[in-house]
Amino acid sequence: MMDTQSMISLFDAIVILYGIYCIYSAKKMIETKKPPAFLVNPGELVGARDVAGFCAEIYKPLIIFGVIAIAYGIFNIASEYIQIHYMISLASILVFLGLCIWFVRLLRVLKNKYF
């Protein structure tokens, strides 16, 4: 059975992989002009007003989200091996949660605008 520290490390590894996947998906989205399914349900694409515009506008925020997710995961894994003040760890969690909220709100606004 995994202990708490191992579970946290697993979560951090998943966050890093998700950040990498976000960056990969953003690059692919710009090439294909089709948003990935984790951003837009394929059913929403039917009758969409401007899919290419959505892709262009969500590209940079998706890259930013991916980069910060990777940085957050690496920071948390590193913090297991080096002594970091708990307030810094708390701040990193709050920054990451704030980023998630910002991205979800932006995604909702852009979906309303383009779909």
Side-chain angles (χ1 to χ4, degrees), residues 69-109:
I70 292 167
Y72 172 77
I74 290 171
F75 174 79
N76 279 345
I77 289 174
S79 70
E80 293 176 26
Y81 301 103
I82 57 175
Q83 191 65 26
I84 293 181
H85 194 276
Y86 75 95
M87 291 301 286
I88 295 173
S89 292
L90 179 61
S92 74
I93 292 169
L94 293 175
V95 167
F96 185 68
L97 278 173
L99 172 73
C100 292
I101 291 168
W102 165 77
F103 187 76
V104 169
R105 289 182 64 159
L106 178 66
L107 183 60
R108 187 178 318 141
V109 167

mmCIF file of all heavy atoms in Angstrom, residues 69-109:
data_model
loop_
_atom_site.group_PDB
_atom_site.id
_atom_site.type_symbol
_atom_site.label_atom_id
_atom_site.label_comp_id
_atom_site.label_asym_id
_atom_site.label_seq_id
_atom_site.Cartn_x
_atom_site.Cartn_y
_atom_site.Cartn_z
ATOM 1 N N ALA A 69 1.822 24.174 -14.679
ATOM 2 C CA ALA A 69 1.537 22.852 -14.113
ATOM 3 C C ALA A 69 2.825 22.038 -13.981
ATOM 4 O O ALA A 69 3.057 21.387 -12.952
ATOM 5 C CB ALA A 69 0.515 22.107 -14.972
ATOM 6 N N ILE A 70 3.663 22.092 -14.996
ATOM 7 C CA ILE A 70 4.947 21.385 -14.938
ATOM 8 C C ILE A 70 5.811 21.956 -13.807
ATOM 9 O O ILE A 70 6.376 21.200 -13.001
ATOM 10 C CB ILE A 70 5.694 21.481 -16.289
ATOM 11 C CG1 ILE A 70 4.947 20.686 -17.353
ATOM 12 C CG2 ILE A 70 7.131 20.988 -16.154
ATOM 13 C CD1 ILE A 70 5.419 20.960 -18.767
ATOM 14 N N ALA A 71 5.891 23.275 -13.726
ATOM 15 C CA ALA A 71 6.695 23.912 -12.676
ATOM 16 C C ALA A 71 6.164 23.555 -11.289
ATOM 17 O O ALA A 71 6.946 23.274 -10.373
ATOM 18 C CB ALA A 71 6.704 25.425 -12.872
ATOM 19 N N TYR A 72 4.861 23.546 -11.127
ATOM 20 C CA TYR A 72 4.250 23.196 -9.843
ATOM 21 C C TYR A 72 4.590 21.757 -9.454
ATOM 22 O O TYR A 72 4.979 21.488 -8.317
ATOM 23 C CB TYR A 72 2.730 23.390 -9.924
ATOM 24 C CG TYR A 72 1.989 22.876 -8.726
ATOM 25 C CD1 TYR A 72 1.982 23.589 -7.533
ATOM 26 C CD2 TYR A 72 1.282 21.678 -8.774
ATOM 27 C CE1 TYR A 72 1.306 23.121 -6.421
ATOM 28 C CE2 TYR A 72 0.595 21.202 -7.664
ATOM 29 C CZ TYR A 72 0.617 21.931 -6.496
ATOM 30 O OH TYR A 72 -0.063 21.460 -5.396
ATOM 31 N N GLY A 73 4.461 20.841 -10.393
ATOM 32 C CA GLY A 73 4.775 19.446 -10.103
ATOM 33 C C GLY A 73 6.233 19.251 -9.748
ATOM 34 O O GLY A 73 6.567 18.539 -8.789
ATOM 35 N N ILE A 74 7.119 19.882 -10.505
ATOM 36 C CA ILE A 74 8.558 19.770 -10.217
ATOM 37 C C ILE A 74 8.883 20.387 -8.858
ATOM 38 O O ILE A 74 9.633 19.814 -8.067
ATOM 39 C CB ILE A 74 9.382 20.430 -11.347
ATOM 40 C CG1 ILE A 74 9.273 19.595 -12.619
ATOM 41 C CG2 ILE A 74 10.837 20.605 -10.929
ATOM 42 C CD1 ILE A 74 9.866 20.247 -13.846
ATOM 43 N N PHE A 75 8.298 21.548 -8.574
ATOM 44 C CA PHE A 75 8.534 22.203 -7.285
ATOM 45 C C PHE A 75 8.098 21.304 -6.132
ATOM 46 O O PHE A 75 8.808 21.167 -5.129
ATOM 47 C CB PHE A 75 7.792 23.539 -7.223
ATOM 48 C CG PHE A 75 7.863 24.195 -5.873
ATOM 49 C CD1 PHE A 75 8.997 24.891 -5.491
ATOM 50 C CD2 PHE A 75 6.802 24.102 -4.983
ATOM 51 C CE1 PHE A 75 9.069 25.491 -4.246
ATOM 52 C CE2 PHE A 75 6.872 24.691 -3.741
ATOM 53 C CZ PHE A 75 8.005 25.389 -3.367
ATOM 54 N N ASN A 76 6.930 20.689 -6.259
ATOM 55 C CA ASN A 76 6.438 19.838 -5.176
ATOM 56 C C ASN A 76 7.285 18.585 -4.994
ATOM 57 O O ASN A 76 7.515 18.148 -3.869
ATOM 58 C CB ASN A 76 4.982 19.469 -5.398
ATOM 59 C CG ASN A 76 4.064 20.579 -4.961
ATOM 60 O OD1 ASN A 76 4.457 21.497 -4.264
ATOM 61 N ND2 ASN A 76 2.823 20.506 -5.391
ATOM 62 N N ILE A 77 7.736 18.006 -6.085
ATOM 63 C CA ILE A 77 8.613 16.838 -5.964
ATOM 64 C C ILE A 77 9.941 17.248 -5.326
ATOM 65 O O ILE A 77 10.451 16.569 -4.437
ATOM 66 C CB ILE A 77 8.816 16.151 -7.326
ATOM 67 C CG1 ILE A 77 7.511 15.448 -7.743
ATOM 68 C CG2 ILE A 77 9.975 15.150 -7.257
ATOM 69 C CD1 ILE A 77 7.530 14.863 -9.132
ATOM 70 N N ALA A 78 10.480 18.389 -5.759
ATOM 71 C CA ALA A 78 11.736 18.866 -5.189
ATOM 72 C C ALA A 78 11.581 19.204 -3.709
ATOM 73 O O ALA A 78 12.504 18.976 -2.914
ATOM 74 C CB ALA A 78 12.237 20.092 -5.951
ATOM 75 N N SER A 79 10.416 19.718 -3.335
ATOM 76 C CA SER A 79 10.209 20.105 -1.937
ATOM 77 C C SER A 79 10.192 18.905 -1.002
ATOM 78 O O SER A 79 10.336 19.057 0.215
ATOM 79 C CB SER A 79 8.928 20.920 -1.788
ATOM 80 O OG SER A 79 7.795 20.105 -1.979
ATOM 81 N N GLU A 80 10.037 17.704 -1.539
ATOM 82 C CA GLU A 80 10.112 16.500 -0.716
ATOM 83 C C GLU A 80 11.553 16.198 -0.308
ATOM 84 O O GLU A 80 11.779 15.548 0.700
ATOM 85 C CB GLU A 80 9.548 15.306 -1.475
ATOM 86 C CG GLU A 80 8.054 15.399 -1.739
ATOM 87 C CD GLU A 80 7.551 14.243 -2.566
ATOM 88 O OE1 GLU A 80 8.160 13.160 -2.532
ATOM 89 O OE2 GLU A 80 6.538 14.430 -3.251
ATOM 90 N N TYR A 81 12.500 16.666 -1.104
ATOM 91 C CA TYR A 81 13.909 16.344 -0.871
ATOM 92 C C TYR A 81 14.702 17.478 -0.246
ATOM 93 O O TYR A 81 15.781 17.259 0.272
ATOM 94 C CB TYR A 81 14.557 15.890 -2.175
ATOM 95 C CG TYR A 81 13.867 14.675 -2.739
ATOM 96 C CD1 TYR A 81 12.994 14.779 -3.812
ATOM 97 C CD2 TYR A 81 14.063 13.426 -2.165
ATOM 98 C CE1 TYR A 81 12.338 13.661 -4.308
ATOM 99 C CE2 TYR A 81 13.408 12.301 -2.654
ATOM 100 C CZ TYR A 81 12.551 12.434 -3.729
ATOM 101 O OH TYR A 81 11.905 11.328 -4.209
ATOM 102 N N ILE A 82 14.184 18.693 -0.356
ATOM 103 C CA ILE A 82 14.854 19.829 0.273
ATOM 104 C C ILE A 82 13.878 20.486 1.247
ATOM 105 O O ILE A 82 12.665 20.433 1.040
ATOM 106 C CB ILE A 82 15.371 20.850 -0.765
ATOM 107 C CG1 ILE A 82 14.241 21.354 -1.667
ATOM 108 C CG2 ILE A 82 16.483 20.280 -1.591
ATOM 109 C CD1 ILE A 82 14.651 22.447 -2.614
ATOM 110 N N GLN A 83 14.390 21.075 2.260
ATOM 111 C CA GLN A 83 13.544 21.690 3.275
ATOM 112 C C GLN A 83 13.004 23.021 2.759
ATOM 113 O O GLN A 83 13.760 23.940 2.471
ATOM 114 C CB GLN A 83 14.357 21.909 4.554
ATOM 115 C CG GLN A 83 13.541 22.289 5.745
ATOM 116 C CD GLN A 83 12.578 21.190 6.180
ATOM 117 O OE1 GLN A 83 12.803 20.022 5.940
ATOM 118 N NE2 GLN A 83 11.489 21.582 6.801
ATOM 119 N N ILE A 84 11.688 23.102 2.621
ATOM 120 C CA ILE A 84 11.037 24.330 2.164
ATOM 121 C C ILE A 84 10.034 24.746 3.236
ATOM 122 O O ILE A 84 9.303 23.911 3.768
ATOM 123 C CB ILE A 84 10.331 24.112 0.809
ATOM 124 C CG1 ILE A 84 11.374 23.853 -0.266
ATOM 125 C CG2 ILE A 84 9.475 25.308 0.440
ATOM 126 C CD1 ILE A 84 10.819 23.644 -1.652
ATOM 127 N N HIS A 85 10.010 25.998 3.521
ATOM 128 C CA HIS A 85 9.089 26.523 4.535
ATOM 129 C C HIS A 85 7.653 26.197 4.112
ATOM 130 O O HIS A 85 7.304 26.299 2.934
ATOM 131 C CB HIS A 85 9.297 28.029 4.682
ATOM 132 C CG HIS A 85 8.654 28.608 5.890
ATOM 133 N ND1 HIS A 85 7.344 28.982 5.919
ATOM 134 C CD2 HIS A 85 9.150 28.851 7.134
ATOM 135 C CE1 HIS A 85 7.041 29.448 7.110
ATOM 136 N NE2 HIS A 85 8.128 29.384 7.872
ATOM 137 N N TYR A 86 6.841 25.830 5.077
ATOM 138 C CA TYR A 86 5.472 25.421 4.756
ATOM 139 C C TYR A 86 4.660 26.539 4.110
ATOM 140 O O TYR A 86 3.752 26.282 3.317
ATOM 141 C CB TYR A 86 4.746 24.887 6.001
ATOM 142 C CG TYR A 86 4.314 25.959 6.976
ATOM 143 C CD1 TYR A 86 3.021 26.472 6.920
ATOM 144 C CD2 TYR A 86 5.183 26.452 7.939
ATOM 145 C CE1 TYR A 86 2.615 27.455 7.805
ATOM 146 C CE2 TYR A 86 4.791 27.424 8.822
ATOM 147 C CZ TYR A 86 3.495 27.922 8.759
ATOM 148 O OH TYR A 86 3.093 28.883 9.625
ATOM 149 N N MET A 87 4.986 27.802 4.392
ATOM 150 C CA MET A 87 4.261 28.919 3.771
ATOM 151 C C MET A 87 4.554 28.995 2.269
ATOM 152 O O MET A 87 3.681 29.372 1.495
ATOM 153 C CB MET A 87 4.619 30.242 4.462
ATOM 154 C CG MET A 87 4.079 30.354 5.878
ATOM 155 S SD MET A 87 2.269 30.197 5.938
ATOM 156 C CE MET A 87 1.779 31.762 5.280
ATOM 157 N N ILE A 88 5.753 28.636 1.880
ATOM 158 C CA ILE A 88 6.090 28.619 0.455
ATOM 159 C C ILE A 88 5.315 27.500 -0.238
ATOM 160 O O ILE A 88 4.777 27.689 -1.328
ATOM 161 C CB ILE A 88 7.613 28.479 0.248
ATOM 162 C CG1 ILE A 88 8.324 29.710 0.796
ATOM 163 C CG2 ILE A 88 7.945 28.271 -1.225
ATOM 164 C CD1 ILE A 88 9.831 29.611 0.804
ATOM 165 N N SER A 89 5.217 26.352 0.407
ATOM 166 C CA SER A 89 4.435 25.241 -0.158
ATOM 167 C C SER A 89 2.965 25.622 -0.263
ATOM 168 O O SER A 89 2.311 25.343 -1.267
ATOM 169 C CB SER A 89 4.583 23.985 0.698
ATOM 170 O OG SER A 89 5.889 23.493 0.622
ATOM 171 N N LEU A 90 2.453 26.271 0.770
ATOM 172 C CA LEU A 90 1.062 26.721 0.747
ATOM 173 C C LEU A 90 0.840 27.740 -0.365
ATOM 174 O O LEU A 90 -0.160 27.682 -1.094
ATOM 175 C CB LEU A 90 0.674 27.321 2.099
ATOM 176 C CG LEU A 90 -0.755 27.852 2.217
ATOM 177 C CD1 LEU A 90 -1.767 26.740 1.983
ATOM 178 C CD2 LEU A 90 -0.962 28.503 3.571
ATOM 179 N N ALA A 91 1.791 28.644 -0.532
ATOM 180 C CA ALA A 91 1.690 29.643 -1.601
ATOM 181 C C ALA A 91 1.674 28.967 -2.970
ATOM 182 O O ALA A 91 0.916 29.377 -3.859
ATOM 183 C CB ALA A 91 2.837 30.643 -1.501
ATOM 184 N N SER A 92 2.489 27.926 -3.139
ATOM 185 C CA SER A 92 2.514 27.243 -4.441
ATOM 186 C C SER A 92 1.170 26.571 -4.727
ATOM 187 O O SER A 92 0.694 26.584 -5.861
ATOM 188 C CB SER A 92 3.652 26.224 -4.506
ATOM 189 O OG SER A 92 3.367 25.077 -3.728
ATOM 190 N N ILE A 93 0.560 26.002 -3.713
ATOM 191 C CA ILE A 93 -0.765 25.385 -3.887
ATOM 192 C C ILE A 93 -1.791 26.443 -4.267
ATOM 193 O O ILE A 93 -2.596 26.242 -5.180
ATOM 194 C CB ILE A 93 -1.192 24.641 -2.605
ATOM 195 C CG1 ILE A 93 -0.298 23.424 -2.382
ATOM 196 C CG2 ILE A 93 -2.659 24.223 -2.674
ATOM 197 C CD1 ILE A 93 -0.465 22.776 -1.031
ATOM 198 N N LEU A 94 -1.755 27.576 -3.569
ATOM 199 C CA LEU A 94 -2.713 28.645 -3.862
ATOM 200 C C LEU A 94 -2.522 29.213 -5.270
ATOM 201 O O LEU A 94 -3.500 29.502 -5.969
ATOM 202 C CB LEU A 94 -2.608 29.749 -2.809
ATOM 203 C CG LEU A 94 -3.046 29.346 -1.404
ATOM 204 C CD1 LEU A 94 -2.791 30.487 -0.426
ATOM 205 C CD2 LEU A 94 -4.500 28.918 -1.382
ATOM 206 N N VAL A 95 -1.275 29.360 -5.692
ATOM 207 C CA VAL A 95 -0.999 29.845 -7.054
ATOM 208 C C VAL A 95 -1.535 28.849 -8.074
ATOM 209 O O VAL A 95 -2.189 29.237 -9.049
ATOM 210 C CB VAL A 95 0.507 30.101 -7.265
ATOM 211 C CG1 VAL A 95 0.840 30.280 -8.737
ATOM 212 C CG2 VAL A 95 0.953 31.307 -6.466
ATOM 213 N N PHE A 96 -1.297 27.568 -7.847
ATOM 214 C CA PHE A 96 -1.766 26.550 -8.784
ATOM 215 C C PHE A 96 -3.302 26.504 -8.820
ATOM 216 O O PHE A 96 -3.889 26.429 -9.894
ATOM 217 C CB PHE A 96 -1.193 25.179 -8.440
ATOM 218 C CG PHE A 96 -1.554 24.120 -9.442
ATOM 219 C CD1 PHE A 96 -1.037 24.164 -10.726
ATOM 220 C CD2 PHE A 96 -2.417 23.099 -9.108
ATOM 221 C CE1 PHE A 96 -1.373 23.199 -11.669
ATOM 222 C CE2 PHE A 96 -2.752 22.129 -10.040
ATOM 223 C CZ PHE A 96 -2.230 22.177 -11.319
ATOM 224 N N LEU A 97 -3.938 26.565 -7.664
ATOM 225 C CA LEU A 97 -5.407 26.596 -7.632
ATOM 226 C C LEU A 97 -5.940 27.841 -8.328
ATOM 227 O O LEU A 97 -6.939 27.776 -9.060
ATOM 228 C CB LEU A 97 -5.916 26.541 -6.200
ATOM 229 C CG LEU A 97 -5.981 25.169 -5.573
ATOM 230 C CD1 LEU A 97 -6.332 25.268 -4.098
ATOM 231 C CD2 LEU A 97 -6.989 24.296 -6.300
ATOM 232 N N GLY A 98 -5.293 28.978 -8.092
ATOM 233 C CA GLY A 98 -5.695 30.210 -8.775
ATOM 234 C C GLY A 98 -5.564 30.082 -10.283
ATOM 235 O O GLY A 98 -6.438 30.531 -11.036
ATOM 236 N N LEU A 99 -4.490 29.449 -10.718
ATOM 237 C CA LEU A 99 -4.293 29.216 -12.149
ATOM 238 C C LEU A 99 -5.404 28.335 -12.711
ATOM 239 O O LEU A 99 -5.935 28.617 -13.789
ATOM 240 C CB LEU A 99 -2.935 28.566 -12.400
ATOM 241 C CG LEU A 99 -2.677 28.098 -13.829
ATOM 242 C CD1 LEU A 99 -2.441 29.295 -14.734
ATOM 243 C CD2 LEU A 99 -1.521 27.137 -13.888
ATOM 244 N N CYS A 100 -5.748 27.289 -11.987
ATOM 245 C CA CYS A 100 -6.824 26.394 -12.444
ATOM 246 C C CYS A 100 -8.145 27.144 -12.573
ATOM 247 O O CYS A 100 -8.857 27.001 -13.575
ATOM 248 C CB CYS A 100 -6.978 25.208 -11.492
ATOM 249 S SG CYS A 100 -5.600 24.060 -11.516
ATOM 250 N N ILE A 101 -8.465 27.953 -11.571
ATOM 251 C CA ILE A 101 -9.707 28.733 -11.609
ATOM 252 C C ILE A 101 -9.688 29.712 -12.781
ATOM 253 O O ILE A 101 -10.666 29.843 -13.526
ATOM 254 C CB ILE A 101 -9.926 29.453 -10.268
ATOM 255 C CG1 ILE A 101 -10.230 28.419 -9.184
ATOM 256 C CG2 ILE A 101 -11.046 30.489 -10.371
ATOM 257 C CD1 ILE A 101 -10.171 28.968 -7.771
ATOM 258 N N TRP A 102 -8.561 30.414 -12.960
ATOM 259 C CA TRP A 102 -8.431 31.357 -14.082
ATOM 260 C C TRP A 102 -8.645 30.640 -15.415
ATOM 261 O O TRP A 102 -9.381 31.126 -16.281
ATOM 262 C CB TRP A 102 -7.043 32.008 -14.042
ATOM 263 C CG TRP A 102 -6.666 32.705 -15.313
ATOM 264 C CD1 TRP A 102 -7.107 33.921 -15.743
ATOM 265 C CD2 TRP A 102 -5.790 32.203 -16.333
ATOM 266 N NE1 TRP A 102 -6.541 34.215 -16.973
ATOM 267 C CE2 TRP A 102 -5.727 33.179 -17.356
ATOM 268 C CE3 TRP A 102 -5.038 31.039 -16.474
ATOM 269 C CZ2 TRP A 102 -4.961 33.016 -18.500
ATOM 270 C CZ3 TRP A 102 -4.272 30.887 -17.612
ATOM 271 C CH2 TRP A 102 -4.236 31.861 -18.604
ATOM 272 N N PHE A 103 -8.012 29.482 -15.589
ATOM 273 C CA PHE A 103 -8.095 28.784 -16.861
ATOM 274 C C PHE A 103 -9.512 28.290 -17.129
ATOM 275 O O PHE A 103 -10.019 28.423 -18.246
ATOM 276 C CB PHE A 103 -7.103 27.620 -16.907
ATOM 277 C CG PHE A 103 -7.037 26.979 -18.250
ATOM 278 C CD1 PHE A 103 -6.349 27.591 -19.291
ATOM 279 C CD2 PHE A 103 -7.691 25.784 -18.516
ATOM 280 C CE1 PHE A 103 -6.306 27.019 -20.558
ATOM 281 C CE2 PHE A 103 -7.649 25.205 -19.764
ATOM 282 C CZ PHE A 103 -6.956 25.824 -20.786
ATOM 283 N N VAL A 104 -10.171 27.741 -16.122
ATOM 284 C CA VAL A 104 -11.540 27.243 -16.311
ATOM 285 C C VAL A 104 -12.494 28.392 -16.637
ATOM 286 O O VAL A 104 -13.355 28.264 -17.515
ATOM 287 C CB VAL A 104 -12.010 26.454 -15.072
ATOM 288 C CG1 VAL A 104 -13.500 26.171 -15.122
ATOM 289 C CG2 VAL A 104 -11.225 25.158 -14.944
ATOM 290 N N ARG A 105 -12.325 29.513 -15.956
ATOM 291 C CA ARG A 105 -13.183 30.681 -16.254
ATOM 292 C C ARG A 105 -12.933 31.195 -17.670
ATOM 293 O O ARG A 105 -13.868 31.521 -18.401
ATOM 294 C CB ARG A 105 -12.944 31.779 -15.231
ATOM 295 C CG ARG A 105 -13.503 31.415 -13.861
ATOM 296 C CD ARG A 105 -13.297 32.521 -12.910
ATOM 297 N NE ARG A 105 -14.085 33.662 -13.392
ATOM 298 C CZ ARG A 105 -14.475 34.655 -12.651
ATOM 299 N NH1 ARG A 105 -14.150 34.683 -11.393
ATOM 300 N NH2 ARG A 105 -15.175 35.642 -13.151
ATOM 301 N N LEU A 106 -11.658 31.289 -18.056
ATOM 302 C CA LEU A 106 -11.319 31.733 -19.410
ATOM 303 C C LEU A 106 -11.889 30.774 -20.446
ATOM 304 O O LEU A 106 -12.445 31.209 -21.470
ATOM 305 C CB LEU A 106 -9.803 31.846 -19.574
ATOM 306 C CG LEU A 106 -9.316 32.250 -20.969
ATOM 307 C CD1 LEU A 106 -9.757 33.671 -21.298
ATOM 308 C CD2 LEU A 106 -7.811 32.102 -21.075
ATOM 309 N N LEU A 107 -11.769 29.490 -20.202
ATOM 310 C CA LEU A 107 -12.302 28.494 -21.125
ATOM 311 C C LEU A 107 -13.811 28.667 -21.292
ATOM 312 O O LEU A 107 -14.333 28.620 -22.407
ATOM 313 C CB LEU A 107 -11.966 27.085 -20.630
ATOM 314 C CG LEU A 107 -12.386 25.923 -21.506
ATOM 315 C CD1 LEU A 107 -11.737 26.008 -22.885
ATOM 316 C CD2 LEU A 107 -12.020 24.603 -20.830
ATOM 317 N N ARG A 108 -14.509 28.900 -20.195
ATOM 318 C CA ARG A 108 -15.961 29.102 -20.261
ATOM 319 C C ARG A 108 -16.307 30.353 -21.077
ATOM 320 O O ARG A 108 -17.203 30.329 -21.920
ATOM 321 C CB ARG A 108 -16.537 29.225 -18.855
ATOM 322 C CG ARG A 108 -18.049 29.257 -18.852
ATOM 323 C CD ARG A 108 -18.668 29.332 -17.475
ATOM 324 N NE ARG A 108 -18.002 28.454 -16.529
ATOM 325 C CZ ARG A 108 -17.771 28.773 -15.265
ATOM 326 N NH1 ARG A 108 -18.142 29.941 -14.795
ATOM 327 N NH2 ARG A 108 -17.174 27.923 -14.456
ATOM 328 N N VAL A 109 -15.574 31.444 -20.845
ATOM 329 C CA VAL A 109 -15.818 32.689 -21.582
ATOM 330 C C VAL A 109 -15.576 32.478 -23.077
ATOM 331 O O VAL A 109 -16.381 32.907 -23.917
ATOM 332 C CB VAL A 109 -14.928 33.833 -21.034
ATOM 333 C CG1 VAL A 109 -14.914 35.030 -21.975
ATOM 334 C CG2 VAL A 109 -15.389 34.236 -19.646
#
